[in-house]
Amino acid sequence: MSGAPGVPAAGGVPAAGGVPAAGGGVRVAGTADNGALGGLALARSAVDRAAERRTDEEWLAAAWADPATRVVVVDDGRALARVGGRQADLVFVPPPGAPGGVRFLLGVDTAGVVYFGVAGPLPDPGQVEAAGHGNAAGPAEGPARPASLREVGQLLGDRDAGLMTHAVALANWHAITTHCSRCGAVTAAVSSGHARRCPVDGSEHFPRLDPAVIMLVTDPAGRCLLARNASWPERRVSILAGFVEPGESAEQAVAREVLEETGISVGDVRYLGSQPWPMPHSLMLGFSALAPGGQQIRVDDNEIAEASWFSRDDVREKVASGELRLPPPVSIAHRIIESWYGAELPGSW
C-alpha cells in the first residue's frame, strides 16, 4: 500500500489513493452518512475517485498498462456479475480484455489498485471464466452473467456498488451526449470520461444529472401516503416523486409535486438523504413532509392512478395478503418507507 503521491502502488503505478487530506491524513473513500436513512444501496463506495489523476496522461497510460488494473465493462446499464443467494460480485477484466469504447477512470483503492470503466459490448461470460478473470476474492458463487443495477445493486459490496453505479452513470451520459449542444459537432471524451469537448468551439460538456425529489408524506394520524403510478401494474405502490423544475428549490418541488399529483397540501418539509439513480440520469433527494388533516385526495388521473393513506398495520396486512407490493431494497423509496415503518419491510416488487 502506498501512503503518498508518487510512491509506486501495486504493479508500479504511482498511487492516487494516497493523496493527503485536510489535516495531514490520507484520503480514504467510504460510504457517506445518509442520516435517518442509514446506508443506501447505491450511495456506497470503497475507492478514491482520484479526480486529480483524470488529466494526468502519463499516469493514466501507466495505470492502463498495469496488469493489476481492473476494468468493469458496461453495456446498456448492465455489467458482468456473479450472483449467488443474497450476494453478488462484479466480474472484472484486465485492460487487454476490455473492448473498445469510451474509457473512464473510476478510482483507486487503498491497496493502489486502479479501476476503469469502459462503455462497450460485454465480454463473453464463458471466455471470461475460461481466462480466469473476475473477482476471485468475492463471496458470491455462480457463473458470470449480465446484470443491471436494479437486480444486483443491493447485493453488491460497497466497492462494487460504487464502481458499477459510477460506471453506469457515465456510460448512460456518453450514450446521449455525442454532439455539441452549441454547434452540433461530434464531441470527444476528455478528463478520463468525465467530460466531453467540442473540437470546433472548444466548449466542454459535463455529465447530466437530473435532481428528483421523493417524499414520505404523513398525516396527523401517522399514516403514510402511498400511490400507484398510472404505468404500473395493479398492487404496485410507492411514495410520491418528481423532478425539480428550473428556478425551484427541492423543498418547493416536494410541495408542488404532492399537490399536483394528489391534491394534498404539505408543510414541514425535511431532508432525509440522497442516492444516485443512473436510470438514466437521476439523483434522488429524499424528504419527509406533513399533511394537515381534513384534506381529500384527488389524483391527477395522468401520472397517478390511485393514492391512499396507510397505517403500519395496513401495510403489513395488505402486503401479506398480496394486495400491495412495495419498492425493492435497491431504491431509496424502500429505505424511506422502511424508516417510517420502523422495521424491515415485509415485501417488495
Side-chain angles (χ1 to χ4, degrees):
M1 183 190 304
S2 301
V7 177
V13 178
V19 177
V26 175
R27 187 176 68 202
V28 178
T31 302
D33 180 7
N34 277 288
L37 300 180
L40 292 164
L42 304 187
R44 297 176 290 147
S45 177
V47 302
D48 182 341
R49 289 199 171 200
E52 70 286 346
R53 294 294 192 182
R54 292 173 186 169
T55 56
D56 187 338
E57 297 301 331
E58 182 179 355
W59 184 90
L60 290 168
W64 189 256
D66 188 342
T69 291
R70 299 180 181 182
V71 181
V72 56
V73 182
V74 176
D75 184 23
D76 194 24
R78 301 188 302 167
L80 291 185
R82 292 192 179 93
V83 184
R86 298 177 62 86
Q87 294 179 316
D89 295 306
L90 287 181
V91 173
F92 301 96
V93 297
V102 179
R103 182 191 307 172
F104 20 88
L105 175 64
L106 300 178
V108 185
D109 68 18
T110 55
V113 177
V114 182
Y115 296 87
F116 284 92
V118 170
L122 295 182
D124 179 82
Q127 293 181 2
V128 170
E129 298 282 12
H133 301 321
N135 190 356
E141 298 180 359
R145 63 176 178 84
S148 69
L149 272 175
R150 289 180 186 271
E151 180 184 2
V152 300
Q154 178 72 12
L155 305 178
L156 295 169
D158 289 355
R159 182 200 65 182
D160 288 5
L163 291 172
M164 186 173 180
T165 302
H166 191 179
V168 168
L170 286 174
N172 285 348
W173 174 67
H174 282 288
I176 66 165
T177 316
T178 55
H179 291 69
C180 177
S181 59
R182 293 181 178 182
C183 69
V186 176
T187 56
V190 295
S191 190
S192 296
H194 288 75
R196 297 186 72 92
R197 182 178 294 127
C198 176
V200 176
D201 62 25
S203 61
E204 289 194 338
H205 305 263
F206 297 93
R208 169 179 170 178
L209 198 61
D210 299 334
V213 292
I214 183 164
M215 41 279 182
L216 173 75
V217 178
T218 55
D219 69 1
R223 297 179 300 173
C224 171
L225 182 62
L226 297 177
R228 181 172 68 85
N229 188 286
S231 65
W232 293 349
E234 296 289 336
R235 301 178 294 165
R236 179 183 293 184
V237 297
S238 185
I239 51 180
L240 300 173
F243 291 107
V244 180
E245 294 186 345
E248 180 179 55
S249 71
E251 290 80 3
Q252 289 172 322
V254 168
R256 175 185 54 78
E257 285 286 346
V258 176
L259 184 62
E260 287 179 356
E261 295 184 346
T262 64
I264 298 294
S265 297
V266 299
D268 195 19
V269 177
R270 300 189 181 188
Y271 177 73
L272 296 176
S274 66
Q275 171 171 269
W277 192 250
M279 305 174 205
H281 314 286
S282 297
L283 173 64
M284 305 302 298
L285 307 172
F287 290 86
S288 64
L290 296 178
Q295 301 186 74
Q296 182 178 358
I297 295 175
R298 298 187 305 275
V299 298
D300 64 2
D301 290 325
N302 180 24
E303 293 184 51
I304 304 299
E306 54 185 323
S308 299
W309 296 104
F310 293 88
S311 69
R312 294 169 180 81
D313 288 340
D314 291 336
V315 168
R316 181 171 56 254
E317 293 167 4
K318 292 184 180 295
V319 168
S321 68
E323 296 177 65
L324 288 184
R325 298 184 66 191
L326 300 175
V330 71
S331 68
I332 191 174
H334 182 99
R335 287 294 299 120
I336 292 176
I337 298 172
E338 196 168 61
S339 71
W340 162 81
Y341 187 70
E344 185 176 346
L345 287 180
S348 62
W349 304 343

